[in-house]
Amino acid sequence: MIATAGIETVIATLGGVFGLLIGSFLNVVVYRVPAGISIVAPPSACPKCGQHIRGYDNIPVLSWLVLRGKCRDCNAPISSRYPLVELATGLLFVVVAVRFWPTGSGTSLVAALVTLVAFLYLMAISVALALIDVDTHRLPNAITYPSYVVIGVLLAVASALTDDWGAFVRGVIGAAILGAVYLVLAIAVPGGMGLGDVKLAGVLGLALAYLGWGPLAVGAFGAFLVGGIFALVLMLLRRASWRGGIPFGPSMLIGAWIGVLVGSAVWTTYLATLGLA
Ligand SMILES: [Zn+2]
């Protein structure tokens, strides 16, 4: 029998390696989706000399280090952003694996695994959308629309397996609430939120409310807290004017993950402080 700590290390390591590989794919997604290029073909090539990237030069993080950040053929510099995105995705996948540790047995174990996959998917699109929003000030429908289907189906399956439809219904209500809040903000403050933010809000509302009202409240408030901090820091660095220029997607996504990871605990503490729980 393997010690529990041993199994945890194995699963965390697998999650990390999987995250590195997904991170490598996300670099392709972030570059190609806003440009309207297929994410499956043609294979990756050096933008300078056009040489296809060889399999052994496409190993996350390691290849960049071995090549010292230069194309093997023409010595064109390869941005350090690529290995950093791979590394970050690997670490974030470990965090998700630890948060959604599959426990139980039988159908409840399968449900836990399905939930883990749903939130790994959410993390993957979070990394991609945050980078695309910073690069292009857009949150492409090509990513947000399928996310409703992928996360919706996975969470519905998890609810069906555990016979707990309450969580799924709460998720759907959460999607409607958060989507409506952002729609009102988009209409009330022209030049503030965009429709991309509204569509993303629905996806985040679904995932957050599936976990509970606490995560939804903390995730929604977290977005504005993070957005305020970003705006303040960028203003102090004189990188952005008072009136916008800062994409809100990254703040929404970071806020949502605060809600996913610590939302329940923060909400319970908050209610206790108010003497409500
Ligand atoms: Zn090259």
Side-chain angles (χ1 to χ4, degrees), residues 71-95:
C71 170
R72 185 184 287 277
D73 299 286
C74 71
N75 274 339
I78 306 167
S79 170
S80 59
R81 179 166 128 172
Y82 295 113
L84 289 175
V85 167
E86 289 159 357
L87 198 60
T89 309
L91 292 172
L92 291 169
F93 267 42
V94 172
V95 171

Side-chain angles (χ1 to χ4, degrees), residues 18-28 82 85-87 89-90:
F18 183 54
L20 287 170
L21 295 169
I22 293 295
S24 182
F25 173 66
L26 293 179
N27 279 319
V28 177
Y82 295 113
V85 167
E86 289 159 357
L87 198 60
T89 309

Side-chain angles (χ1 to χ4, degrees), residues 45-265:
C46 170
K48 182 129 179 269
C49 69
Q51 176 68 49
H52 286 177
I53 310 293
R54 300 162 181 85
Y56 54 80
D57 284 341
N58 216 359
I59 301 160
V61 183
L62 287 180
S63 289
W64 188 88
L65 292 173
V66 169
L67 294 170
R68 294 169 184 274
K70 290 187 184 107
C71 170
R72 185 184 287 277
D73 299 286
C74 71
N75 274 339
I78 306 167
S79 170
S80 59
R81 179 166 128 172
Y82 295 113
L84 289 175
V85 167
E86 289 159 357
L87 198 60
T89 309
L91 292 172
L92 291 169
F93 267 42
V94 172
V95 171
V96 177
V98 170
R99 164 68 176 82
F100 292 96
W101 210 256
T103 52
S105 60
T107 49
S108 70
L109 178 62
V110 177
L113 279 168
V114 171
T115 309
L116 169 63
V117 172
F119 282 89
L120 285 175
Y121 173 86
L122 181 66
M123 183 56 90
I125 63 151
S126 297
V127 172
L129 287 174
L131 290 167
I132 291 172
D133 205 11
V134 168
D135 285 352
T136 68
H137 283 222
R138 281 182 54 227
L139 295 167
N141 292 339
I143 297 177
T144 43
Y145 284 164
S147 297
Y148 280 96
V149 179
V150 174
I151 295 174
V153 167
L154 288 171
L155 294 182
V157 168
S159 279
L161 286 168
T162 52
D163 217 11
D164 176 15
W165 285 102
F168 185 74
V169 171
R170 194 175 53 224
V172 173
I173 296 170
I177 293 174
L178 207 56
V181 168
Y182 274 82
L183 182 60
V184 168
L185 285 172
I187 294 167
V189 190
M193 307 293 169
L195 282 180
D197 297 320
V198 176
K199 293 169 208 162
L200 175 61
V203 175
L204 298 177
L206 171 64
L208 285 164
Y210 178 85
L211 298 175
W213 297 121
L216 178 68
V218 172
F221 180 73
F224 294 94
L225 190 68
V226 172
I229 293 170
F230 273 165
L232 200 63
V233 169
L234 287 172
M235 271 200 309
L236 289 173
L237 295 172
R238 297 177 183 284
R239 297 287 280 280
S241 61
W242 177 251
R243 282 207 162 267
I246 308 167
F248 198 62
S251 302
M252 292 173 72
L253 292 159
I254 294 170
W257 278 99
I258 293 172
V260 169
L261 297 174
V262 298
S264 293

